[in-house]
Amino acid sequence: PTCKGSASESNSISYTTYSSGNPSILGYEVRPGECRESDAFHIISTPEEAACRSLLDEKCIEHKDVFDDAAIAAVPSCPCFDADDLDKAATDVASGSYTFYPDPTCKGSA
């Protein structure tokens, strides 16, 4: 999730859900002349835009810890294996249980 704002560009609280098996971007946003709730856009007046920006800014500040914690938790991970899996592979090779193929395996690049 993100919670961001600027005085003249886009202010938003955005997040995703995978509940239906497909990712969906949800949230609230205000841009010059319009606001959005999930995928519904509305044309708004200048005073309404100011009110929307103010409300988003206020809530981003109020819930900063929640959004910061969620952003940290959302750091992508490898879906195929984790550190424990790789440690086990090294242990298995070291014990002689498996044959290690030195080329081209275990190569990395940045």
Side-chain angles (χ1 to χ4, degrees):
T2 60
C3 197
K4 63 181 182 174
S6 73
S8 61
E9 295 298 319
S10 172
N11 295 64
S12 66
I13 295 175
S14 301
Y15 52 97
T16 59
T17 180
Y18 293 91
S19 61
S20 64
N22 297 314
S24 300
I25 296 177
L26 306 172
Y28 307 92
E29 181 177 17
V30 60
R31 296 178 187 182
E34 63 184 35
C35 65
R36 172 182 69 87
E37 177 184 3
S38 293
D39 61 352
F41 283 88
H42 304 276
I43 303 300
I44 57 176
S45 67
T46 301
E48 290 169 328
E49 179 184 328
C52 290
R53 286 185 190 282
S54 177
L55 182 58
L56 271 171
D57 288 344
E58 177 185 314
K59 291 302 174 181
C60 281
I61 292 166
E62 179 181 338
H63 300 294
K64 181 181 182 331
D65 292 343
V66 172
F67 295 124
D68 287 351
D69 290 348
I72 291 167
V75 173
S77 62
C78 178
C80 303
F81 48 82
D82 61 20
D84 291 340
D85 296 326
L86 300 178
D87 290 342
K88 182 180 180 323
T91 300
D92 290 345
V93 169
S95 72
S97 300
Y98 295 93
T99 302
F100 181 65
Y101 295 97
D103 191 43
T105 61
C106 212
K107 290 187 176 179
S109 66

